[in-house]
PDB file of all heavy atoms in Angstrom:
ATOM      1  N   HIS A   1     -67.724  63.884 133.854  1.00 63.00           N
ATOM      2  CA  HIS A   1     -68.089  65.240 134.360  1.00 63.00           C
ATOM      3  C   HIS A   1     -66.838  66.041 134.455  1.00 63.00           C
ATOM      4  O   HIS A   1     -65.739  65.682 134.856  1.00 63.00           O
ATOM      5  CB  HIS A   1     -68.725  65.132 135.786  1.00 63.00           C
ATOM      6  CG  HIS A   1     -70.011  64.362 135.751  1.00 63.00           C
ATOM      7  ND1 HIS A   1     -71.232  64.987 135.392  1.00 63.00           N
ATOM      8  CD2 HIS A   1     -70.219  63.105 136.061  1.00 63.00           C
ATOM      9  CE1 HIS A   1     -72.169  64.082 135.543  1.00 63.00           C
ATOM     10  NE2 HIS A   1     -71.672  62.915 135.948  1.00 63.00           N
ATOM     11  N   ALA A   2     -66.961  67.353 134.033  1.00 68.00           N
ATOM     12  CA  ALA A   2     -65.855  68.273 134.065  1.00 68.00           C
ATOM     13  C   ALA A   2     -65.476  68.489 135.622  1.00 68.00           C
ATOM     14  O   ALA A   2     -66.363  68.600 136.423  1.00 68.00           O
ATOM     15  CB  ALA A   2     -66.206  69.601 133.453  1.00 68.00           C
ATOM     16  N   LYS A   3     -64.179  68.668 135.834  1.00 78.00           N
ATOM     17  CA  LYS A   3     -63.690  68.974 137.137  1.00 78.00           C
ATOM     18  C   LYS A   3     -64.117  70.366 137.524  1.00 78.00           C
ATOM     19  O   LYS A   3     -64.054  71.194 136.590  1.00 78.00           O
ATOM     20  CB  LYS A   3     -62.209  68.750 137.220  1.00 78.00           C
ATOM     21  CG  LYS A   3     -61.715  67.324 137.103  1.00 78.00           C
ATOM     22  CD  LYS A   3     -60.231  67.263 137.018  1.00 78.00           C
ATOM     23  CE  LYS A   3     -59.570  67.856 138.314  1.00 78.00           C
ATOM     24  NZ  LYS A   3     -58.075  67.779 138.338  1.00 78.00           N
ATOM     25  N   PRO A   4     -64.501  70.595 138.747  1.00 82.00           N
ATOM     26  CA  PRO A   4     -64.817  71.993 139.170  1.00 82.00           C
ATOM     27  C   PRO A   4     -63.611  72.900 138.859  1.00 82.00           C
ATOM     28  O   PRO A   4     -62.460  72.492 139.225  1.00 82.00           O
ATOM     29  CB  PRO A   4     -65.206  71.898 140.563  1.00 82.00           C
ATOM     30  CG  PRO A   4     -65.590  70.402 140.731  1.00 82.00           C
ATOM     31  CD  PRO A   4     -64.728  69.629 139.773  1.00 82.00           C
ATOM     32  N   ARG A   5     -63.862  74.059 138.566  1.00 82.00           N
ATOM     33  CA  ARG A   5     -62.850  75.040 138.325  1.00 82.00           C
ATOM     34  C   ARG A   5     -62.227  75.485 139.659  1.00 82.00           C
ATOM     35  O   ARG A   5     -63.001  75.786 140.597  1.00 82.00           O
ATOM     36  CB  ARG A   5     -63.236  76.224 137.562  1.00 82.00           C
ATOM     37  CG  ARG A   5     -62.117  77.199 137.096  1.00 82.00           C
ATOM     38  CD  ARG A   5     -62.615  78.233 136.082  1.00 82.00           C
ATOM     39  NE  ARG A   5     -61.541  79.094 135.645  1.00 82.00           N
ATOM     40  CZ  ARG A   5     -60.712  78.696 134.693  1.00 82.00           C
ATOM     41  NH1 ARG A   5     -60.843  77.608 134.003  1.00 82.00           N
ATOM     42  NH2 ARG A   5     -59.675  79.422 134.291  1.00 82.00           N
ATOM     43  N   THR A   6     -60.948  75.684 139.739  1.00 91.00           N
ATOM     44  CA  THR A   6     -60.384  76.016 141.023  1.00 91.00           C
ATOM     45  C   THR A   6     -59.656  77.342 140.994  1.00 91.00           C
ATOM     46  O   THR A   6     -59.490  77.870 139.918  1.00 91.00           O
ATOM     47  CB  THR A   6     -59.263  75.008 141.471  1.00 91.00           C
ATOM     48  OG1 THR A   6     -58.200  75.029 140.473  1.00 91.00           O
ATOM     49  CG2 THR A   6     -59.867  73.560 141.495  1.00 91.00           C
ATOM     50  N   VAL A   7     -59.346  77.925 142.170  1.00 93.00           N
ATOM     51  CA  VAL A   7     -58.587  79.134 142.207  1.00 93.00           C
ATOM     52  C   VAL A   7     -57.284  79.004 141.395  1.00 93.00           C
ATOM     53  O   VAL A   7     -56.813  79.868 140.713  1.00 93.00           O
ATOM     54  CB  VAL A   7     -58.273  79.568 143.660  1.00 93.00           C
ATOM     55  CG1 VAL A   7     -57.322  80.671 143.726  1.00 93.00           C
ATOM     56  CG2 VAL A   7     -59.709  80.054 144.282  1.00 93.00           C
ATOM     57  N   GLU A   8     -56.579  77.769 141.565  1.00 94.00           N
ATOM     58  CA  GLU A   8     -55.349  77.534 140.978  1.00 94.00           C
ATOM     59  C   GLU A   8     -55.492  77.620 139.413  1.00 94.00           C
ATOM     60  O   GLU A   8     -54.598  78.121 138.708  1.00 94.00           O
ATOM     61  CB  GLU A   8     -54.766  76.317 141.437  1.00 94.00           C
ATOM     62  CG  GLU A   8     -54.215  76.192 142.785  1.00 94.00           C
ATOM     63  CD  GLU A   8     -55.268  76.017 143.818  1.00 94.00           C
ATOM     64  OE1 GLU A   8     -56.556  75.870 143.432  1.00 94.00           O
ATOM     65  OE2 GLU A   8     -54.985  76.004 144.979  1.00 94.00           O
ATOM     66  N   ASP A   9     -56.715  77.175 138.868  1.00 94.00           N
ATOM     67  CA  ASP A   9     -56.878  77.231 137.469  1.00 94.00           C
ATOM     68  C   ASP A   9     -56.964  78.633 137.086  1.00 94.00           C
ATOM     69  O   ASP A   9     -56.412  78.949 135.961  1.00 94.00           O
ATOM     70  CB  ASP A   9     -58.274  76.482 137.176  1.00 94.00           C
ATOM     71  CG  ASP A   9     -58.281  75.013 137.325  1.00 94.00           C
ATOM     72  OD1 ASP A   9     -57.139  74.393 137.196  1.00 94.00           O
ATOM     73  OD2 ASP A   9     -59.231  74.398 137.645  1.00 94.00           O
ATOM     74  N   ASP A  10     -57.696  79.479 137.785  1.00 95.00           N
ATOM     75  CA  ASP A  10     -57.736  80.873 137.460  1.00 95.00           C
ATOM     76  C   ASP A  10     -56.428  81.552 137.424  1.00 95.00           C
ATOM     77  O   ASP A  10     -56.045  82.413 136.507  1.00 95.00           O
ATOM     78  CB  ASP A  10     -58.703  81.681 138.369  1.00 95.00           C
ATOM     79  CG  ASP A  10     -60.161  81.224 138.160  1.00 95.00           C
ATOM     80  OD1 ASP A  10     -60.535  80.682 137.088  1.00 95.00           O
ATOM     81  OD2 ASP A  10     -60.919  81.510 139.127  1.00 95.00           O
ATOM     82  N   ILE A  11     -55.583  81.259 138.451  1.00 96.00           N
ATOM     83  CA  ILE A  11     -54.291  81.824 138.524  1.00 96.00           C
ATOM     84  C   ILE A  11     -53.410  81.419 137.341  1.00 96.00           C
ATOM     85  O   ILE A  11     -52.682  82.352 136.771  1.00 96.00           O
ATOM     86  CB  ILE A  11     -53.540  81.457 139.848  1.00 96.00           C
ATOM     87  CG1 ILE A  11     -54.305  82.026 141.031  1.00 96.00           C
ATOM     88  CG2 ILE A  11     -52.017  81.807 139.844  1.00 96.00           C
ATOM     89  CD1 ILE A  11     -53.846  81.551 142.427  1.00 96.00           C
ATOM     90  N   ARG A  12     -53.487  80.294 136.964  1.00 96.00           N
ATOM     91  CA  ARG A  12     -52.740  79.843 135.765  1.00 96.00           C
ATOM     92  C   ARG A  12     -53.208  80.519 134.560  1.00 96.00           C
ATOM     93  O   ARG A  12     -52.346  80.986 133.697  1.00 96.00           O
ATOM     94  CB  ARG A  12     -52.843  78.242 135.577  1.00 96.00           C
ATOM     95  CG  ARG A  12     -51.900  77.507 136.485  1.00 96.00           C
ATOM     96  CD  ARG A  12     -51.808  76.021 136.086  1.00 96.00           C
ATOM     97  NE  ARG A  12     -53.057  75.370 136.284  1.00 96.00           N
ATOM     98  CZ  ARG A  12     -53.436  74.803 137.369  1.00 96.00           C
ATOM     99  NH1 ARG A  12     -52.667  74.735 138.344  1.00 96.00           N
ATOM    100  NH2 ARG A  12     -54.628  74.179 137.471  1.00 96.00           N
ATOM    101  N   GLU A  13     -54.466  80.657 134.420  1.00 96.00           N
ATOM    102  CA  GLU A  13     -55.026  81.337 133.180  1.00 96.00           C
ATOM    103  C   GLU A  13     -54.675  82.816 133.078  1.00 96.00           C
ATOM    104  O   GLU A  13     -54.509  83.377 132.022  1.00 96.00           O
ATOM    105  CB  GLU A  13     -56.528  81.083 133.162  1.00 96.00           C
ATOM    106  CG  GLU A  13     -57.192  81.623 131.872  1.00 96.00           C
ATOM    107  CD  GLU A  13     -58.694  81.322 131.879  1.00 96.00           C
ATOM    108  OE1 GLU A  13     -59.054  80.090 131.844  1.00 96.00           O
ATOM    109  OE2 GLU A  13     -59.519  82.303 131.853  1.00 96.00           O
ATOM    110  N   LEU A  14     -54.559  83.422 134.276  1.00 97.00           N
ATOM    111  CA  LEU A  14     -54.247  84.885 134.345  1.00 97.00           C
ATOM    112  C   LEU A  14     -52.774  85.135 134.370  1.00 97.00           C
ATOM    113  O   LEU A  14     -52.401  86.202 134.464  1.00 97.00           O
ATOM    114  CB  LEU A  14     -54.956  85.460 135.475  1.00 97.00           C
ATOM    115  CG  LEU A  14     -56.450  85.601 135.456  1.00 97.00           C
ATOM    116  CD1 LEU A  14     -57.038  85.871 136.869  1.00 97.00           C
ATOM    117  CD2 LEU A  14     -56.816  86.765 134.419  1.00 97.00           C
ATOM    118  N   SER A  15     -51.895  84.086 134.380  1.00 96.00           N
ATOM    119  CA  SER A  15     -50.484  84.321 134.543  1.00 96.00           C
ATOM    120  C   SER A  15     -49.970  84.929 133.234  1.00 96.00           C
ATOM    121  O   SER A  15     -50.636  84.773 132.224  1.00 96.00           O
ATOM    122  CB  SER A  15     -49.757  83.014 134.688  1.00 96.00           C
ATOM    123  OG  SER A  15     -49.977  82.108 133.669  1.00 96.00           O
ATOM    124  N   PRO A  16     -48.747  85.550 133.238  1.00 97.00           N
ATOM    125  CA  PRO A  16     -47.852  85.684 134.334  1.00 97.00           C
ATOM    126  C   PRO A  16     -48.296  86.820 135.293  1.00 97.00           C
ATOM    127  O   PRO A  16     -48.969  87.740 134.974  1.00 97.00           O
ATOM    128  CB  PRO A  16     -46.528  86.035 133.734  1.00 97.00           C
ATOM    129  CG  PRO A  16     -46.875  86.726 132.511  1.00 97.00           C
ATOM    130  CD  PRO A  16     -48.130  86.226 132.039  1.00 97.00           C
ATOM    131  N   TRP A  17     -47.902  86.659 136.574  1.00 97.00           N
ATOM    132  CA  TRP A  17     -48.197  87.649 137.674  1.00 97.00           C
ATOM    133  C   TRP A  17     -46.968  88.335 138.115  1.00 97.00           C
ATOM    134  O   TRP A  17     -45.854  87.746 138.204  1.00 97.00           O
ATOM    135  CB  TRP A  17     -48.818  86.887 138.957  1.00 97.00           C
ATOM    136  CG  TRP A  17     -50.103  86.324 138.644  1.00 97.00           C
ATOM    137  CD1 TRP A  17     -50.318  85.131 137.975  1.00 97.00           C
ATOM    138  CD2 TRP A  17     -51.422  86.778 139.133  1.00 97.00           C
ATOM    139  NE1 TRP A  17     -51.779  84.788 138.072  1.00 97.00           N
ATOM    140  CE2 TRP A  17     -52.416  85.883 138.741  1.00 97.00           C
ATOM    141  CE3 TRP A  17     -51.752  87.899 139.822  1.00 97.00           C
ATOM    142  CZ2 TRP A  17     -53.754  86.021 138.983  1.00 97.00           C
ATOM    143  CZ3 TRP A  17     -53.109  88.062 140.058  1.00 97.00           C
ATOM    144  CH2 TRP A  17     -54.063  87.199 139.715  1.00 97.00           C
ATOM    145  N   PHE A  18     -47.042  89.646 138.294  1.00 97.00           N
ATOM    146  CA  PHE A  18     -45.887  90.380 138.825  1.00 97.00           C
ATOM    147  C   PHE A  18     -46.169  90.674 140.372  1.00 97.00           C
ATOM    148  O   PHE A  18     -45.194  90.913 141.165  1.00 97.00           O
ATOM    149  CB  PHE A  18     -45.757  91.698 138.073  1.00 97.00           C
ATOM    150  CG  PHE A  18     -44.504  92.403 138.542  1.00 97.00           C
ATOM    151  CD1 PHE A  18     -43.211  91.824 138.369  1.00 97.00           C
ATOM    152  CD2 PHE A  18     -44.605  93.640 139.063  1.00 97.00           C
ATOM    153  CE1 PHE A  18     -42.128  92.560 138.732  1.00 97.00           C
ATOM    154  CE2 PHE A  18     -43.405  94.350 139.523  1.00 97.00           C
ATOM    155  CZ  PHE A  18     -42.183  93.778 139.260  1.00 97.00           C
ATOM    156  N   HIS A  19     -47.428  90.754 140.789  1.00 98.00           N
ATOM    157  CA  HIS A  19     -47.756  90.893 142.242  1.00 98.00           C
ATOM    158  C   HIS A  19     -48.074  89.498 142.890  1.00 98.00           C
ATOM    159  O   HIS A  19     -48.828  88.682 142.264  1.00 98.00           O
ATOM    160  CB  HIS A  19     -48.959  91.720 142.389  1.00 98.00           C
ATOM    161  CG  HIS A  19     -48.631  93.209 142.343  1.00 98.00           C
ATOM    162  ND1 HIS A  19     -49.668  94.150 142.582  1.00 98.00           N
ATOM    163  CD2 HIS A  19     -47.568  93.828 142.132  1.00 98.00           C
ATOM    164  CE1 HIS A  19     -49.139  95.375 142.418  1.00 98.00           C
ATOM    165  NE2 HIS A  19     -47.857  95.223 142.159  1.00 98.00           N
ATOM    166  N   ASN A  20     -47.385  89.150 143.919  1.00 97.00           N
ATOM    167  CA  ASN A  20     -47.681  87.922 144.665  1.00 97.00           C
ATOM    168  C   ASN A  20     -48.832  88.323 145.657  1.00 97.00           C
ATOM    169  O   ASN A  20     -48.569  88.761 146.724  1.00 97.00           O
ATOM    170  CB  ASN A  20     -46.481  87.445 145.357  1.00 97.00           C
ATOM    171  CG  ASN A  20     -46.797  86.037 145.980  1.00 97.00           C
ATOM    172  OD1 ASN A  20     -47.605  85.277 145.597  1.00 97.00           O
ATOM    173  ND2 ASN A  20     -46.229  85.815 147.244  1.00 97.00           N
ATOM    174  N   LEU A  21     -50.041  88.011 145.272  1.00 98.00           N
ATOM    175  CA  LEU A  21     -51.177  88.277 146.147  1.00 98.00           C
ATOM    176  C   LEU A  21     -51.406  87.074 147.051  1.00 98.00           C
ATOM    177  O   LEU A  21     -51.318  85.865 146.549  1.00 98.00           O
ATOM    178  CB  LEU A  21     -52.471  88.520 145.295  1.00 98.00           C
ATOM    179  CG  LEU A  21     -52.397  89.627 144.256  1.00 98.00           C
ATOM    180  CD1 LEU A  21     -53.689  89.760 143.554  1.00 98.00           C
ATOM    181  CD2 LEU A  21     -51.981  91.050 144.925  1.00 98.00           C
ATOM    182  N   HIS A  22     -51.648  87.356 148.373  1.00 97.00           N
ATOM    183  CA  HIS A  22     -51.951  86.371 149.223  1.00 97.00           C
ATOM    184  C   HIS A  22     -53.536  86.256 149.413  1.00 97.00           C
ATOM    185  O   HIS A  22     -54.156  87.168 149.998  1.00 97.00           O
ATOM    186  CB  HIS A  22     -51.360  86.550 150.585  1.00 97.00           C
ATOM    187  CG  HIS A  22     -49.904  86.554 150.619  1.00 97.00           C
ATOM    188  ND1 HIS A  22     -49.181  85.588 151.271  1.00 97.00           N
ATOM    189  CD2 HIS A  22     -48.991  87.335 150.020  1.00 97.00           C
ATOM    190  CE1 HIS A  22     -47.874  85.862 151.097  1.00 97.00           C
ATOM    191  NE2 HIS A  22     -47.694  86.863 150.366  1.00 97.00           N
ATOM    192  N   LEU A  23     -54.090  85.282 148.754  1.00 97.00           N
ATOM    193  CA  LEU A  23     -55.625  85.198 148.693  1.00 97.00           C
ATOM    194  C   LEU A  23     -56.230  84.699 149.936  1.00 97.00           C
ATOM    195  O   LEU A  23     -55.545  84.092 150.798  1.00 97.00           O
ATOM    196  CB  LEU A  23     -56.038  84.317 147.464  1.00 97.00           C
ATOM    197  CG  LEU A  23     -55.470  84.845 146.077  1.00 97.00           C
ATOM    198  CD1 LEU A  23     -55.749  83.791 145.109  1.00 97.00           C
ATOM    199  CD2 LEU A  23     -56.087  86.211 145.728  1.00 97.00           C
ATOM    200  N   PRO A  24     -57.510  84.933 150.178  1.00 95.00           N
ATOM    201  CA  PRO A  24     -58.222  84.520 151.418  1.00 95.00           C
ATOM    202  C   PRO A  24     -57.953  83.051 151.778  1.00 95.00           C
ATOM    203  O   PRO A  24     -57.879  82.655 152.978  1.00 95.00           O
ATOM    204  CB  PRO A  24     -59.595  84.911 151.197  1.00 95.00           C
ATOM    205  CG  PRO A  24     -59.553  85.994 150.261  1.00 95.00           C
ATOM    206  CD  PRO A  24     -58.479  85.630 149.335  1.00 95.00           C
ATOM    207  N   ASP A  25     -57.895  82.171 150.836  1.00 94.00           N
ATOM    208  CA  ASP A  25     -57.755  80.731 151.050  1.00 94.00           C
ATOM    209  C   ASP A  25     -56.287  80.264 151.290  1.00 94.00           C
ATOM    210  O   ASP A  25     -56.063  79.099 151.466  1.00 94.00           O
ATOM    211  CB  ASP A  25     -58.387  79.920 149.944  1.00 94.00           C
ATOM    212  CG  ASP A  25     -57.701  79.978 148.591  1.00 94.00           C
ATOM    213  OD1 ASP A  25     -56.681  80.825 148.497  1.00 94.00           O
ATOM    214  OD2 ASP A  25     -58.045  79.264 147.684  1.00 94.00           O
ATOM    215  N   GLY A  26     -55.438  81.286 151.333  1.00 94.00           N
ATOM    216  CA  GLY A  26     -53.964  80.960 151.506  1.00 94.00           C
ATOM    217  C   GLY A  26     -53.200  80.796 150.213  1.00 94.00           C
ATOM    218  O   GLY A  26     -52.009  80.616 150.306  1.00 94.00           O
ATOM    219  N   THR A  27     -53.830  80.676 149.158  1.00 96.00           N
ATOM    220  CA  THR A  27     -53.203  80.630 147.841  1.00 96.00           C
ATOM    221  C   THR A  27     -52.385  81.888 147.464  1.00 96.00           C
ATOM    222  O   THR A  27     -52.815  83.019 147.762  1.00 96.00           O
ATOM    223  CB  THR A  27     -54.197  80.280 146.654  1.00 96.00           C
ATOM    224  OG1 THR A  27     -54.979  79.138 147.020  1.00 96.00           O
ATOM    225  CG2 THR A  27     -53.453  79.982 145.409  1.00 96.00           C
TER     226      THR A  27
END
């Protein structure tokens, strides 16, 4: 079974980031 997609997965896919956003889950 595929692992559930995480917020961290999305952040990596959308990188690079110039803004350090503090997300609701603390990420």
